[in-house]
Amino acid sequence: MTKVAIHAGKTGHVYVHDRATGELIRFSEAMVPQDGLWTLPTKEGAKMMLGANGGVEWSPMAIHPEARLAFAANLLQPMTYHVEASKYPGGKLWLGGAFKTIPSEKQSGRLSAVNIDTGKVAWKFDTDEPLIGGVLATAGDLVFNGEANGLFRAFDAKNGKKLWEYQTGAGVNAPAVSYSVGGKQYVAVASGGNNQIDAKRGNSVVVFALP
């Protein structure tokens, strides 16, 4: 056994590093299509399937140690990358170019489970909206994830089967948390939307009791 650090990146892989040295041990199969991953931008615009946000953006993963699985929320946003002359604005965001969504191509998301011992993708669940927010896994073999359209879902951790969903009314763009009170388990999640992918705004924290 090796003590490791595991993280997912915008490239759409899950990476495993030696925790003490930082040495890369392995990276997983691609969780999402990677067309044009290393294509350089052009004046006309070069297509990149992952888009500027990922793969996995800042969304935290979840780990199920017994199932040996890591769960990652992915964005699939086809974009074109452009070289454009732009003056440095002095301490503000400066990209030296631009990235633009492709109106004719669908933007979507994918919840992926990756075996942390082999790097193989164990299962995936495709969503209508790009996923940004995070994932929760429980010892009861449940995985929770929310979508920008307001849906909050529970999955079977081992096979990816959707078990339940609830419409919260605003974008679920935060990771859920689980806790217990008086011996009863609860799952809570923020439903507030997100500016980065323009999800519907809200102002709620929704709490569910597990049976």
Side-chain angles (χ1 to χ4, degrees):
M1 297 292 288
T2 302
K3 293 182 178 180
V4 299
I6 301 174
H7 71 99
K10 285 191 174 186
T11 57
H13 296 289
V14 172
Y15 297 89
V16 180
H17 294 263
D18 185 291
R19 197 166 76 184
T21 66
E23 180 185 358
L24 177 65
I25 296 172
R26 76 169 64 85
F27 60 89
S28 72
E29 293 179 329
M31 295 182 286
V32 290
Q34 296 177 314
D35 300 338
L37 184 60
W38 306 115
T39 301
L40 295 176
T42 65
K43 272 191 170 183
E44 297 75 23
K47 181 180 176 182
M48 184 179 272
M49 176 59 192
L50 287 175
N53 293 321
V56 178
E57 175 68 303
W58 48 260
S59 304
M61 294 193 309
I63 300 289
H64 191 312
E66 287 74 29
R68 312 300 292 167
L69 293 173
F71 308 96
N74 290 269
L75 305 98
L76 290 85
Q77 295 180 290
M79 293 183 181
T80 50
Y81 280 42
H82 302 258
V83 175
E84 294 182 358
S86 57
K87 186 178 178 182
Y88 177 59
K92 299 179 182 178
L93 177 65
W94 181 65
L95 303 174
F99 47 86
K100 303 174 183 178
T101 58
I102 304 172
S104 61
E105 298 204 19
K106 181 181 178 182
Q107 298 191 25
S108 59
R110 177 174 291 170
L111 178 64
S112 298
V114 173
N115 185 297
I116 59 176
D117 296 316
T118 66
K120 301 291 185 183
V121 175
W123 57 260
K124 63 182 186 291
F125 182 87
D126 291 334
T127 61
D128 291 332
E129 304 279 346
L131 293 181
I132 191 167
V135 191
L136 167 70
T138 73
D141 293 336
L142 296 176
V143 170
F144 293 90
N145 179 244
E147 196 174 344
N149 57 15
L151 288 172
F152 183 55
R153 298 187 177 100
F155 302 87
D156 186 305
K158 293 183 178 178
N159 58 32
K161 180 182 178 182
K162 184 179 74 174
L163 303 174
W164 169 88
E165 69 180 17
Y166 180 84
Q167 176 55 251
T168 67
V172 182
N173 301 125
V177 296
S178 182
Y179 58 94
S180 64
V181 177
K184 192 166 187 63
Q185 187 176 2
Y186 297 87
V187 171
V189 71
S191 173
N194 180 272
N195 181 67
Q196 189 162 343
I197 54 176
D198 199 25
K200 183 180 178 182
R201 308 304 195 272
N203 191 28
S204 301
V205 174
V206 189
V207 182
F208 304 92
L210 271 63

